[in-house]
Amino acid sequence: GAVVSQHPSRVICKSGTSVKIECRSLDFQATTMFWYRQFPKKSLMLMATSNEGSKATYEQGVEKDKFLINHASLTLSTLTVTSAHPEDSSFYICSARVFGTVVAFFGQGTRLTVV
Amino acid sequence: DQQVKQNSPSLSVQEGRISILNCDYTNSMFDYFLWYKKYPAEGPTFLISISSIKDKNEDGRFTVFLNKSAKHLSLHIVPSQPGDSAVYFCAASDGGQNFVFGPGTRLSVLP
């Protein structure tokens, strides 16, 4: 399958700072990228969908000013958690899909801990 | 309202036996279904999928069955191996932007 690389895999930051997570499709062009958050022992919660070159579409209840998503190229999307708080600590996962296909491929996830 | 349901949060199976993971959906617009496997602290990996025009798709030890009238699909793993122990997510798509995951079933394959 296609390869999606997510970086960093683990990050610890201080409360009030911002953290950027990168998601790259390594061997294909991803017209659509998705960002998920997983709470402990819960399913994947879709946060937002981003299409290359346009603004991300956020799910209800997700603050777009807090979770900034940029999808400037067909191989890179970034999620920036701004002014992080301990309750933002979670496992964040991106996935990417090629236009016209259904299968989404996932990155390895980023464990964010805000102290 | 959960559009994709996996009613069994966990399942234990003996090594070598069959594992059957179930998934139900409510949205009749879904026409493509996928199964993903997830280990702790990793992203999900794609396992197998099925289009709504089929009722069965097989790939090695993994077979997915789809019953459109019942809005039900299942993943069969046979024979089950200890390395299959993971959380399995069922996902459904309407072919567009709508891509919904179920809550997952934790499979434990006992040696």
Side-chain angles (χ1 to χ4, degrees):
Chain A
V3 179
V4 175
S5 176
Q6 191 173 334
H7 179 81
S9 58
R10 191 180 293 268
V11 59
I12 301 172
C13 71
K14 288 187 176 179
S15 190
T17 61
S18 295
V19 173
K20 182 185 282 189
I21 302 170
E22 291 188 348
C23 180
R24 292 180 186 274
S25 56
L26 297 185
D27 52 359
F28 68 101
Q29 292 187 324
T31 48
T32 305
M33 286 189 171
F34 305 87
W35 286 95
Y36 294 85
R37 181 174 178 176
Q38 185 178 28
F39 294 96
K41 298 185 180 180
K42 297 287 185 184
S43 185
L44 303 167
M45 183 194 82
L46 179 65
M47 297 175 67
T49 302
S50 72
N51 292 300
E52 184 264 339
S54 59
K55 286 185 179 179
T57 302
Y58 289 80
E59 295 299 300
Q60 194 173 13
V62 178
E63 299 175 60
K64 58 183 170 185
D65 293 331
K66 179 161 189 65
F67 298 100
L68 300 178
I69 290 171
N70 184 282
H71 190 169
S73 78
L74 285 170
T75 58
L76 174 65
S77 176
T78 59
L79 166 67
T80 302
V81 183
T82 62
S83 187
H85 288 282
E87 56 264 31
D88 299 326
S89 298
S90 193
F91 192 62
Y92 293 87
I93 311 173
C94 72
S95 73
R97 209 167 74 177
V98 177
F99 178 78
T101 67
V102 180
V103 180
F105 296 95
F106 286 80
Q108 57 268 59
T110 298
R111 168 71 60 192
L112 169 64
T113 304
V114 184
V115 297
Chain B
D1 179 36
Q2 272 191 325
Q3 296 186 68
V4 178
K5 303 175 187 180
Q6 292 175 258
N7 292 323
S8 298
S10 63
L11 174 69
S12 292
V13 171
Q14 209 68 39
E15 181 180 4
R17 307 293 284 266
I18 185 171
S19 295
I20 300 176
L21 298 113
N22 293 304
C23 177
D24 298 285
Y25 61 96
T26 57
N27 189 339
S28 57
M29 296 301 291
F30 289 143
D31 61 2
Y32 205 88
F33 306 90
L34 309 94
W35 285 95
Y36 287 84
K37 173 180 178 179
K38 185 181 181 302
Y39 293 115
E42 292 184 11
T45 52
F46 171 70
L47 269 181
I48 192 169
S49 63
I50 188 166
S51 159
S52 60
I53 63 172
K54 293 187 171 184
D55 55 18
K56 178 182 174 182
N57 188 24
E58 190 172 350
D59 183 2
R61 296 186 298 114
F62 302 92
T63 304
V64 56
F65 295 92
L66 175 63
N67 182 334
K68 274 187 66 179
S69 59
K71 294 193 176 70
H72 176 84
L73 61 151
S74 60
L75 174 68
H76 291 212
I77 306 172
V78 56
S80 301
Q81 300 172 354
D84 296 329
S85 297
V87 176
Y88 289 79
F89 290 99
C90 168
S93 171
D94 61 4
Q97 300 277 42
N98 198 11
F99 193 94
V100 181
F101 278 89
T105 296
R106 181 176 301 279
L107 173 66
S108 299
V109 180
L110 309 172

